[in-house]
Amino acid sequence: MMLRDRISLIVGAGNGLGRAIARAYAREGATVAVADRDEPAAQETLRLIEGRGCALVADISEPKQCHRLIETVIERYARLDVLVNCAAISLVDPLLDVTPERWDRVFAVNARGAFFLMQAAAKHMIPRKFGRIINISTPASRMGFPNFASYAASKAAVDSISKAAAVDWGKHGITVNTIVPGRMTGGMIQALEEDLMRLTGKTPGQMDADRTQGLPIPRRVAPEEVAESAVWLACDAAAYVNAERFNFTGGMELS
């Protein structure tokens, strides 16, 4: 088992990619603290991993809850080895319609929440000289897509924060990397595309065709595929991998 005895916290593990990572980590022997704002969803993920950890509820848009979440894991398990920041929201708005409230809502979760979770985790990892922090980004942080300005900007902030932390904390044995999923199935992507269909009037079939057109590998990627990269980044084999951006996009950034 690649992650035997690792204590992990996966934030946003109630569905989609976060749930897939939780299941992969449990399979590889990790203890998994499953965190989500939706308690029933977190409990369902805990059931799916056969109770190999605990379910926690937090709203990471509040920095105090970020710190409390980390403290709860430390209190329960005495340490934290791996933090996966998978919680995110994406609001679909034409650029001319973005409001300060909706902009701030996206940044509060995607950028501020991720940062304060990293900060709180690092304070416990640094004395132990060990830690793995994995953040989830998006092709939109490097590419121009209409209707996703706040989401793309928030994830560009995550990219920048990840690099800064990788440089600052590498000397303490902490690696910080990002995973970039492409057009996944389910989870947040499904909700996002439903919003897009309402905005554009497109049918599900039209939306699926639009979202896969031009990809060098012309298909969706399953969360379970992407989750395997999170396993590898948390294992001993990746100890010298730091400040990297792992693309699971089917070549989207080249298309």
Side-chain angles (χ1 to χ4, degrees):
M1 293 186 178
M2 296 173 70
L3 302 179
R4 186 188 300 275
D5 299 326
R6 292 275 159 91
I7 305 299
S8 63
L9 169 62
I10 303 174
V11 185
N15 60 64
L17 179 57
R19 176 173 286 177
I21 294 173
R23 298 183 76 172
Y25 274 28
R27 181 199 71 210
E28 294 298 332
T31 296
V32 186
V34 174
D36 203 277
R37 189 173 62 175
D38 183 339
E39 183 173 9
Q43 291 290 349
E44 175 61 13
T45 298
L46 183 62
R47 185 191 69 79
L48 290 169
I49 65 173
E50 300 179 344
R52 294 186 59 90
C54 65
L56 303 172
V57 179
D59 178 358
I60 67 165
S61 67
E62 297 292 337
K64 288 182 179 179
Q65 292 197 38
C66 293
H67 285 271
R68 183 58 192 154
L69 185 57
I70 300 298
E71 293 295 336
T72 299
V73 176
I74 300 298
E75 289 168 4
R76 186 178 292 256
Y77 299 111
R79 70 179 198 276
L80 174 62
D81 300 313
V82 183
L83 168 66
V84 182
N85 272 316
C86 204
I89 60 172
S90 177
L91 301 181
V92 176
D93 293 300
L95 268 66
L96 294 178
D97 295 336
V98 177
T99 64
E101 294 76 16
R102 286 172 72 82
W103 179 276
D104 290 346
R105 180 181 168 195
V106 171
F107 265 77
V109 174
N110 297 1
R112 188 174 68 184
F115 174 77
F116 284 108
L117 282 166
M118 292 168 61
Q119 182 190 71
K123 288 179 179 180
H124 291 279
M125 292 174 173
I126 286 172
R128 295 183 56 243
K129 296 291 183 180
F130 180 86
R132 302 281 185 268
I133 297 175
I134 301 168
N135 295 321
I136 308 301
S137 189
T138 173
S141 69
R142 289 187 174 181
M143 303 172 69
F145 294 121
N147 306 314
F148 299 118
S150 58
Y151 179 67
S154 70
K155 288 299 188 176
V158 170
D159 292 345
S160 181
I161 292 165
S162 298
K163 291 178 182 178
V167 171
D168 200 25
W169 300 338
K171 60 183 174 290
H172 299 295
I174 300 170
T175 64
V176 184
N177 296 286
T178 59
I179 296 172
V180 184
R183 299 280 163 75
M184 280 193 302
T185 56
M188 187 188 74
I189 297 295
Q190 180 177 342
L192 179 152
E193 291 181 357
E194 288 172 356
D195 286 345
L196 270 179
M197 285 187 283
R198 282 192 289 270
L199 182 67
T200 62
K202 292 183 178 179
T203 66
Q206 290 170 327
M207 180 59 60
D208 188 63
D210 284 354
R211 299 278 282 169
T212 55
Q213 184 179 13
L215 295 180
I217 301 178
R219 68 168 177 86
R220 302 279 189 161
V221 63
E224 291 75 16
E225 294 178 84
V226 181
E228 295 305 315
S229 63
V231 171
W232 188 75
L233 285 171
C235 79
D236 290 338
Y240 202 60
V241 178
N242 194 29
E244 292 294 340
R245 178 182 171 94
F246 277 68
N247 283 304
F248 271 74
T249 65
M252 184 190 301
E253 292 190 8
L254 297 177
S255 64

